[in-house]
Amino acid sequence: MTKQPLTLYLAAPRGFCAGVDRAIKIVEMALGKWGSPVYVRHEIVHNKFVVDGLREKGAVFVEELSECPDDRPVIFSAHGVPKSVPSAAQARNMIYVDATCPLVSKVHIEAQRHADNGLQMIMIGHAGHPETVGTMGQLPPGDVLLVETPEDVQTIEVRDPERLAYVTQTTLSVDDTAGIVAALKARFPAIVGPHKEDICYATTNRQEAVKAMAPKCDAMLVVGAPNSSNSKRLVEVGARAGCAYAQLVQRADDIDWRALEGIGSIGITAGASAPEVLIDEVVDAFRARFDVTEELVETAVENVEFKVPRIFRQAS
């Protein structure tokens, strides 16, 4: 039987970012240095395939520090943690390694600096997301106000409208965030923002590639986890950029082939915590069913690399 022709657009950049790459490497290096088990507070990155792979090597994933024994190393996830977490680890004399993405750490430092200058902090982010919890936890409880939408901006109560600053979660939609920032500036003209947008380079680049790819595609799949903020944003960006069908899939097994009947083109990308092996799996699934012509949609080239913590760079 002749296979139906299909143009497969592959977004670039896609998949792993430097912060995710570094975090996974930290867990692997910790296992090499201290043996198993090594404890990890929260999923190191939001991807089941990655987490399961590290679990097989001896990583134990927990949600709270209280679940960790005193005598084994613990790693804090790439999303960052409130200040109270390393303080508690120090109090217990634990070995701990902070795998927080350096771009998230930059936001933590910004928040602290503004607070030290007497400014009340507003955070643009998603309630309950570990990165938002970690950033808000850099300051005492109640000191940071959270806004998720332009509507939230209209109802927040601030101490002094002349003494405000804002930071953002690094994995938000660039366009949505711009709308919230505009609302903040309209209501609080004196508000101070970051010198450069807090949304990280990887989130921005992946969204730009999707915007370039979406109008060409009958359908689009984003390889990523349902709890991955940046992956979910890619689905939204694709739909908004003109792709009639945009869906999140964790693996090739999740593809809804019935929904894709009759398509002539498909766009494929992946969130920043999805490994290339899962993207290849999805591409191979299309090759098995269609006569695929592959085209790369490249909007940026990434060469960012972050150093691992000093503890792994010293001779043991």
Side-chain angles (χ1 to χ4, degrees):
M1 197 174 91
T2 310
K3 289 181 185 174
Q4 182 185 328
L6 179 76
T7 304
L8 189 150
Y9 294 103
L10 204 52
R14 64 181 178 275
F16 274 4
C17 63
V20 163
D21 210 35
R22 173 181 179 268
I24 294 165
K25 202 179 289 178
I26 285 171
V27 179
E28 291 172 339
M29 292 176 89
L31 287 163
K33 186 179 178 74
W34 293 297
S36 65
V38 163
Y39 285 75
V40 185
R41 185 189 178 278
H42 192 68
E43 290 187 350
I44 188 70
V45 297
H46 283 160
N47 187 278
K48 185 180 185 299
F49 181 85
V50 171
V51 168
D52 286 348
L54 293 172
R55 192 179 279 123
E56 283 172 19
K57 293 177 183 177
V60 178
F61 292 88
V62 298
E63 282 307 308
E64 296 300 338
L65 199 64
S66 57
E67 300 170 63
C68 304
D70 292 349
D71 60 350
R72 294 306 301 163
V74 61
I75 296 162
F76 305 145
S77 85
H79 310 96
V81 294
K83 271 189 178 169
S84 57
V85 175
S87 296
Q90 279 174 339
R92 290 170 58 187
N93 290 318
M94 299 173 81
I95 295 172
Y96 67 89
V97 184
D98 190 353
T100 301
C101 172
L103 298 178
V104 175
S105 297
K106 179 176 85 66
V107 179
H108 290 183
I109 292 163
E110 267 173 39
Q112 187 63 61
R113 178 171 53 82
H114 287 314
D116 291 345
N117 290 334
L119 302 181
Q120 185 178 14
M121 290 305 308
I122 295 173
M123 168 130 200
I124 302 171
H126 295 298
H129 188 278
E131 186 188 326
T132 297
V133 172
T135 300
M136 292 178 72
Q138 298 308 299
L139 300 176
D143 273 21
V144 184
L145 301 173
L146 178 66
V147 295
E148 297 188 79
T149 64
E151 291 71 36
D152 290 346
V153 173
Q154 307 313 317
T155 57
I156 54 170
E157 295 180 16
V158 301
R159 289 195 299 256
D160 179 351
E162 300 298 312
R163 307 283 294 157
L164 292 173
Y166 73 87
V167 293
T168 82
Q169 189 178 320
T170 62
T171 55
L172 301 177
S173 155
V174 174
D175 297 335
D176 287 349
T177 304
I180 300 169
V181 169
L184 281 170
K185 288 180 175 175
R187 186 172 172 205
F188 308 113
I191 196 166
V192 176
H195 295 304
K196 190 175 176 297
E197 197 55 68
D198 287 332
I199 295 173
C200 82
Y201 78 94
T203 298
T204 304
N205 288 349
R206 278 150 192 71
Q207 289 179 20
E208 288 303 316
V210 163
K211 285 178 189 175
M213 184 174 73
K216 305 170 187 276
C217 306
D218 295 333
M220 191 181 89
L221 297 181
V222 177
V223 181
N227 60 339
S228 163
S229 172
N230 77 86
S231 299
K232 290 197 289 190
R233 301 296 80 77
L234 290 176
V235 175
E236 294 166 3
V237 168
R240 203 175 289 163
C243 187
Y245 177 91
Q247 286 293 314
L248 186 70
V249 294
Q250 295 197 72
R251 303 286 301 260
D253 288 348
D254 300 327
I255 299 170
D256 181 355
W257 296 106
R258 285 171 62 186
L260 299 176
E261 278 176 17
I263 61 165
S265 57
I266 184 88
I268 294 175
T269 188
S273 43
E276 192 68 18
V277 64
L278 298 187
I279 304 159
D280 292 342
E281 182 185 280
V282 168
V283 171
D284 289 344
F286 279 94
R287 288 194 175 284
R289 285 168 173 79
F290 296 88
D291 178 15
V292 169
T293 303
E294 202 171 297
E295 285 190 31
L296 191 69
V297 180
E298 186 170 62
T299 52
V301 176
E302 293 176 352
N303 51 14
V304 178
E305 202 172 316
F306 296 131
K307 284 181 179 173
V308 295
R310 192 177 290 116
I311 195 164
F312 299 121
R313 291 184 269 136
Q314 295 165 334
S316 51

